[in-house]
Amino acid sequence: MADPVRIAVTGAAGQIGYALLFRIASGAMLGNDRPIELSLLEIPPAMDALRGVVMEVEDCAFPLVRKVVTTDQPEVAFEGVDIAMLVGSRPRGPGMERNDLLEANGAIFTEQGKALNDHAAKHVKVLVVGNPANTNCLIAQHNAPDLDPANFSAMTKLDHNRAIAQLSQKVGGAVEDIDGLAIWGNHSSTMFPDLLGATVNGQSALEIVSQAWYEDEYIPAIQQRGAAIIAARGSSSAASAANAAVEHVREWVAGTDSVTSMGIYSSGQYGTAEGLIFSYPVTVNEGTPKVVENRELNDFAQGKIEATEAELIEERDAVAHLL
């Protein structure tokens, strides 16, 4: 077997972290031939819970797991890591405005960005899952000046999967029949699930579904899916978020010719503002996401992209003192 891959997971005792660790340890993320070392970060009050999680990982006797480190210190958690999955973040509390949430998470991701800069491997792949993911990712990236901005990504794979599933249910087809769908912009209620380039068994998706359904039902359903899950089960999505994180990293490492969605550092593609963490349709080759070029965008799509871009610019400006 190859040398172990060192993987850091923050918020490892939380609901998403709990669902995530067993998928990673089983080989679902990097394959059955890649041994791993887990480096798990939690806040001090959650360290007892984290010990319980580690006991369960041990009790599974995963052949790929060579070592597990637990800590409440980012500089320890990120020492030499090849992959960092930043799951833990401050949730919005009662009465908190979005700017309050950005500020609270800003302190967390500033510290983690600095620790990644000083301790992680220079080739580290950093996936931010904790919300608001795009701007948390931007904060971490800016506080890691010695790392390539391309090392950082925010997760919109969950939105991508939700969009595929809802389209599949509408057309009565299998999810593997759908190709070319993409999520643009922010992982928030402004995200734009784009069907213009999507096909179902090679046929344009927008030739199968009505424009009215697309605009009035489909887009709002994807944008509000997280809230609908909270309303139904009393807590936020955990297993589906963990699954999306596994798929995001697997595609980032192994590559994919199929169109997927990733929040990546913008260099102005499709006229978007440079320097944001913005979700685009991408393919991945040799560990590098490449934005799909020459994708059709009509006035409706352009307006949706500009709206989510404006929100990301507003968030960036709100945390400008942390960048």
Side-chain angles (χ1 to χ4, degrees):
M1 284 191 177
D3 291 336
V5 178
R6 188 166 173 80
I7 304 166
V9 178
T10 75
Q15 287 196 69
I16 296 175
Y18 183 79
L20 178 61
L21 290 177
F22 299 91
R23 297 288 306 282
I24 297 172
S26 72
M29 189 168 80
L30 298 181
N32 293 325
D33 59 345
R34 297 303 300 271
I36 61 172
E37 296 180 357
L38 293 172
S39 184
L40 309 180
L41 179 68
E42 260 299 356
I43 57 175
M47 291 302 292
D48 283 341
L50 181 57
R51 279 191 286 273
V53 173
V54 172
M55 290 166 69
E56 286 203 72
V57 171
E58 292 171 346
D59 290 350
C60 290
F62 290 113
L64 296 174
V65 178
R66 300 299 172 82
K67 183 178 181 182
V68 180
V69 173
T70 62
T71 181
D72 59 7
Q73 302 297 315
E75 59 271 20
V76 175
F78 297 144
E79 183 62 41
V81 297
D82 305 292
I83 296 169
M85 305 176 77
L86 309 188
V87 177
S89 64
R90 170 78 179 273
R92 180 179 289 186
M96 285 184 72
E97 300 294 334
R98 190 169 181 84
N99 280 359
D100 298 330
L101 184 64
L102 288 167
E103 188 68 29
N105 278 295
I108 296 170
F109 287 86
T110 295
E111 180 184 28
Q112 292 184 0
K114 291 176 178 177
L116 285 162
N117 187 78
D118 294 343
H119 298 279
K122 294 307 178 187
H123 61 257
V124 65
K125 286 177 164 55
V126 182
L127 171 63
V128 177
V129 176
N131 287 320
N134 294 57
T135 298
N136 286 344
C137 184
L138 185 68
I139 293 167
Q141 180 267 313
H142 270 267
N143 282 279
D146 298 332
L147 299 178
D148 189 331
N151 290 28
F152 290 81
S153 182
M155 189 175 81
T156 52
K157 183 66 174 179
L158 177 56
D159 310 305
H160 185 97
N161 287 346
R162 288 168 170 170
I164 287 177
Q166 292 298 309
L167 179 60
S168 170
Q169 291 176 25
K170 177 65 175 178
V171 302
V175 295
E176 59 264 30
D177 296 336
I178 296 170
D179 189 31
L181 184 150
I183 302 295
W184 296 81
N186 199 7
H187 174 63
S188 75
S189 60
T190 69
M191 78 181 78
F192 173 47
D194 176 15
L195 293 186
L196 284 171
T199 60
V200 182
N201 276 326
Q203 182 179 1
S204 169
L206 289 179
E207 292 177 359
I208 302 173
V209 302
S210 70
Q211 189 70 22
W213 175 81
Y214 176 45
E215 294 184 22
D216 300 334
E217 297 184 43
Y218 179 75
I219 291 175
I222 306 307
Q223 292 174 333
Q224 300 295 332
R225 184 69 168 182
I229 289 171
I230 291 172
R233 70 183 294 260
S235 58
S236 60
S237 50
S240 56
N243 175 72
V246 165
E247 291 184 348
H248 182 119
V249 173
R250 185 170 64 226
E251 291 175 342
W252 198 357
V253 172
T256 176
D257 293 327
S258 298
V259 175
T260 190
S261 302
M262 290 185 179
I264 61 174
Y265 190 82
S266 168
S267 57
Q269 299 94 329
Y270 289 91
T272 53
E274 294 185 26
L276 299 174
I277 300 295
F278 197 92
S279 183
Y280 296 100
V282 303
T283 57
V284 185
N285 183 41
E286 296 183 353
T288 301
K290 185 180 190 309
V291 176
V292 176
E293 297 179 351
N294 302 318
R295 191 174 172 101
E296 176 190 359
L297 293 175
N298 58 21
D299 290 343
F300 173 78
Q302 195 64 54
K304 292 293 186 182
I305 291 171
E306 289 172 0
T308 195
E309 175 191 28
E311 182 181 56
L312 281 169
I313 290 171
E314 182 180 355
E315 290 185 9
R316 179 199 64 193
D317 293 347
V319 298
H321 57 292
L322 300 174
L323 304 179

